[in-house]
Amino acid sequence: MYLNKYLSCLTLAVLLVSCNLDNKPGKYDNEENVAKNNKKNATETATKPARSKAPIVGERINGAATILNNPGGEPLVTLVDYIPLRCAPVKKDWYPVSVDFDITKDEFSKPLFHKGRKIKVNGVDAGVLQRDIKLPVATNGEKMWATINGYTQKKSIRNGTIIESALSSYLKQHTGRSAADMEPFIHNFKLEEETTLKPYVLYFNYESGIDDPSPLYRLALVFQGKQLIGVLHSRPIQLDGGTPRRLQRGFTVNYLNGIDKSLKEDFAVKFNKFILSVD
């Protein structure tokens, strides 16, 4: 499905986890309060949502952060501002997190890392290890990385890079609900397309994989034709108006106002059947 590519003003500008972090903008335009900084931009973004140059996958560090082995526990690594990582659902103001950093061939063979080692993420300086630690390593044939799993405080994650918060803000700022209206958001968070549930099309991302090695959907925009009819989600999300309905396997769909009752029922039946068939 090809959506219209248009519009040039600034909104939701964010960076892809795998991109060069040197492209980090001076202002984090995906943040909820960016419009307050410039009245002209606020007026423009209210009517002209735009694609960022590079999408984002996962969350970003807010200022600086320490990853601990347990909530309130011992430090594993300190990270600098805007470093990408994955977050599982928050638990009592702590996020379970996972971050990958670049390693050498020798480290891939002997994955014991020492306190004080400076780490890089996608070639960019990212922080320093705070203890000697043995870590799982992996490769895709092109690069090698080690993975640190731990916990960080809720305040250490940029709110504008959390997809649920970003979507809530986007829907408040932009009134359009067509596929073209939502295309910048789809692009900016690199949502994938699912067409199994015809006549519905889902644009979705997966859960972090921290809690489950076979993650399901985290959030999905549900379209019928070229119109958004609802938001499917596994984590809490604040959406104005709409009608929530619980589905199988812990999912909820928030239907937009004015959606026909028969359409709501049809999607719920199809999705429940589909998600129960997924391993």
Side-chain angles (χ1 to χ4, degrees):
M1 182 177 190
Y2 294 91
L3 303 175
N4 294 329
K5 297 182 178 179
Y6 70 109
L7 310 172
S8 60
C9 63
L10 193 58
T11 183
L12 287 171
V14 288
L15 297 178
L16 176 63
V17 166
S18 61
C19 73
N20 188 331
L21 300 184
D22 290 336
N23 292 329
K24 182 178 67 176
K27 296 291 184 181
Y28 298 105
D29 302 312
N30 56 310
E31 302 294 342
E32 290 180 312
N33 62 354
V34 65
K36 298 178 183 178
N37 296 329
N38 187 308
K39 292 183 179 179
K40 180 179 178 181
N41 283 348
T43 301
E44 292 175 348
T45 57
T47 56
K48 295 183 178 182
R51 294 161 56 113
S52 65
K53 292 182 179 179
I56 188 170
V57 177
E59 290 79 14
R60 299 278 178 158
I61 291 296
N62 181 25
T66 301
I67 308 303
L68 309 178
N69 62 347
N70 287 295
E74 298 297 321
L76 300 176
V77 61
T78 52
L79 299 176
V80 300
D81 186 33
Y82 218 66
I83 293 302
L85 74 172
R86 298 174 293 278
C87 295
V90 66
K91 300 175 182 178
K92 296 182 179 180
D93 291 330
W94 288 87
Y95 276 111
V97 298
S98 179
V99 59
D100 301 330
F101 66 89
D102 308 338
I103 61 173
T104 66
K105 291 182 179 180
D106 288 342
E107 289 173 327
F108 184 81
S109 300
K110 297 180 180 179
L112 177 60
F113 304 90
H114 297 287
K115 180 178 179 179
R117 184 196 189 279
K118 296 181 179 179
I119 68 170
K120 292 187 176 184
V121 173
N122 301 321
V124 175
D125 291 339
V128 180
L129 293 181
Q130 297 300 309
R131 64 185 296 179
D132 293 346
I133 188 171
K134 188 173 184 179
L135 296 170
V137 296
T139 180
N140 60 8
E142 297 180 0
K143 60 179 292 186
M144 292 165 285
W145 64 89
T147 300
I148 299 175
N149 294 300
Y151 296 82
T152 197
Q153 291 180 294
K154 182 179 179 180
K155 65 182 181 181
S156 297
I157 303 299
R158 285 189 174 273
N159 196 50
T161 66
I162 300 169
I163 191 170
E164 291 83 7
S165 297
L167 179 60
S168 179
S169 295
Y170 190 91
L171 294 177
K172 289 178 182 177
Q173 294 169 9
H174 310 294
T175 58
R177 298 294 183 262
S178 70
D181 293 321
M182 298 305 300
E183 192 275 342
F185 187 89
I186 292 168
H187 167 82
N188 290 350
F189 281 87
K190 202 177 182 182
L191 301 185
E192 300 181 46
E193 183 180 24
E194 173 61 70
T195 59
T196 302
L197 301 177
K198 294 180 179 179
Y200 310 102
V201 177
L202 275 58
Y203 289 91
F204 71 93
N205 68 350
Y206 286 112
E207 259 296 353
S208 65
I210 294 173
D211 296 330
D212 186 344
S214 299
L216 297 174
Y217 299 143
R218 172 172 171 177
L219 182 144
L221 304 178
V222 182
F223 288 87
Q224 195 272 329
K226 292 186 178 295
Q227 290 295 316
L228 181 70
I229 67 167
V231 177
L232 179 77
H233 53 97
S234 61
R235 300 192 191 187
I237 184 171
Q238 296 295 322
L239 296 176
D240 292 339
T243 305
R245 173 166 176 170
R246 297 287 294 175
L247 301 175
Q248 295 290 335
R249 300 189 74 171
F251 288 97
T252 298
V253 59
N254 277 74
Y255 294 110
L256 302 188
N257 288 326
I259 302 302
D260 185 79
K261 183 177 179 180
S262 62
L263 194 65
K264 296 178 183 178
E265 184 65 23
D266 183 61
F267 174 76
V269 170
K270 284 184 169 65
F271 179 80
N272 282 337
K273 182 178 179 180
F274 166 73
I275 204 66
L276 288 174
S277 69
V278 176
D279 293 333

